[in-house]
Amino acid sequence: LVMSNVPAANNFVLFDGSTVAPIVVDPNSNEAVLRAANDLSEDFARVTGINAKIEKQITSHTKVQIIIGTLSESKLLDSLSAQGKLDTDGISNQWESYILQIVTNPLPNVDRALVIAGSDRRGTIYGIYQLSQLIGVSPWHWWADVPVPKRKWLALSGDLIKQGPPGVKYRGFFINDEDWGLNPWASKTFDPQFGNIGSKTYAKVFELMLRLRLNYLW
């Protein structure tokens, strides 16, 4: 599953120049998954100028949709897996695993859907940010001012991306020498009410970690 550079009849169109495919998030999703889904909506706006609408249920008037959920928590995804429409082999019941797959006719009145399914909440979140990277948003877009290229249309070709459990269970980074760099900047510009590295800064730290598929901070 990759971004298509040349329009083709079998492409999965995420943005046709005027409309972004809506994001349907399973209502049973963890709050962290909902947070990442909102980031994905904003990432579409960074690329196209238009936010993706976030829905809590399938919208029958839209033939193409992005469906997000966590296996064993989403009845729809579990049903698609049981029907053989969603390939969860090597993903289900694993640690921080996910799949992005184009599914045909997942439900009545829905022609095709891009399904993002995680084995657990972080797996789902990693899958969400995988799509952000596919459309051109770098994990470092905020921290390193990596420009986000604007696109007049967005489409995917191929069938799926499958990511099984990581070879290293705990992955993260250590914020070193923060007293001369991150701490003064945060205390003077981003979190002045704390006079230190505060909640707004850590929100950006944690978002970066999830965009990089990390789960551990020292």
Side-chain angles (χ1 to χ4, degrees), residues 2-201:
V2 297
M3 290 304 302
S4 178
N5 294 319
V6 180
N10 61 344
N11 284 165
F12 184 89
V13 179
L14 294 166
F15 173 59
D16 62 7
S18 60
T19 304
V20 177
I23 299 170
V24 182
V25 186
D26 191 281
N28 294 321
S29 294
N30 182 274
E31 185 177 349
V33 171
L34 298 175
R35 162 74 161 74
N38 277 284
D39 283 346
L40 178 60
S41 173
E42 292 178 5
D43 287 345
F44 271 109
R46 292 182 175 101
V47 176
T48 70
I50 301 173
N51 286 76
K53 292 183 179 179
I54 296 180
E55 311 279 358
K56 291 187 178 180
Q57 60 184 4
I58 301 296
T59 52
S60 59
H61 63 275
T62 306
K63 296 295 185 181
V64 175
Q65 312 195 22
I66 301 167
I67 299 175
I68 296 173
T70 303
L71 297 172
S72 77
E73 296 178 7
S74 167
K75 292 182 179 179
L76 172 59
L77 297 191
D78 289 345
S79 174
L80 292 175
S81 178
Q83 295 174 56
K85 291 186 175 183
L86 185 64
D87 181 6
T88 58
D89 185 41
I91 302 298
S92 183
N93 299 316
Q94 298 297 314
W95 172 268
E96 296 180 345
S97 303
Y98 61 87
I99 184 171
L100 282 71
Q101 181 178 341
I102 306 298
V103 177
T104 302
N105 300 128
L107 285 170
N109 301 317
V110 179
D111 292 343
R112 291 198 296 172
L114 171 61
V115 176
I116 302 176
S119 61
D120 52 26
R121 68 176 184 177
R122 279 196 298 273
T124 305
I125 291 168
Y126 297 157
I128 291 170
Y129 288 130
Q130 174 82 62
L131 180 57
S132 291
Q133 284 188 266
L134 281 174
I135 67 175
V137 180
S138 166
W140 297 95
H141 75 94
W142 189 85
W143 286 94
D145 297 323
V146 180
V148 178
K150 302 297 182 183
R151 297 287 296 269
K152 294 182 178 180
W153 64 279
L154 290 169
L156 296 171
S157 63
D159 298 311
L160 60 83
I161 294 175
K162 183 184 286 188
Q163 179 61 59
V168 178
K169 192 167 187 178
Y170 298 105
R171 310 161 312 282
F173 55 69
F174 168 51
I175 299 178
N176 193 24
D177 289 335
E178 69 276 13
D179 282 347
W180 67 266
L182 184 60
N183 195 326
W185 173 82
S187 64
K188 294 177 182 177
T189 63
F190 208 57
D191 275 312
Q193 68 272 38
F194 291 103
N196 204 327
I197 301 174
S199 57
K200 288 177 64 179
T201 305

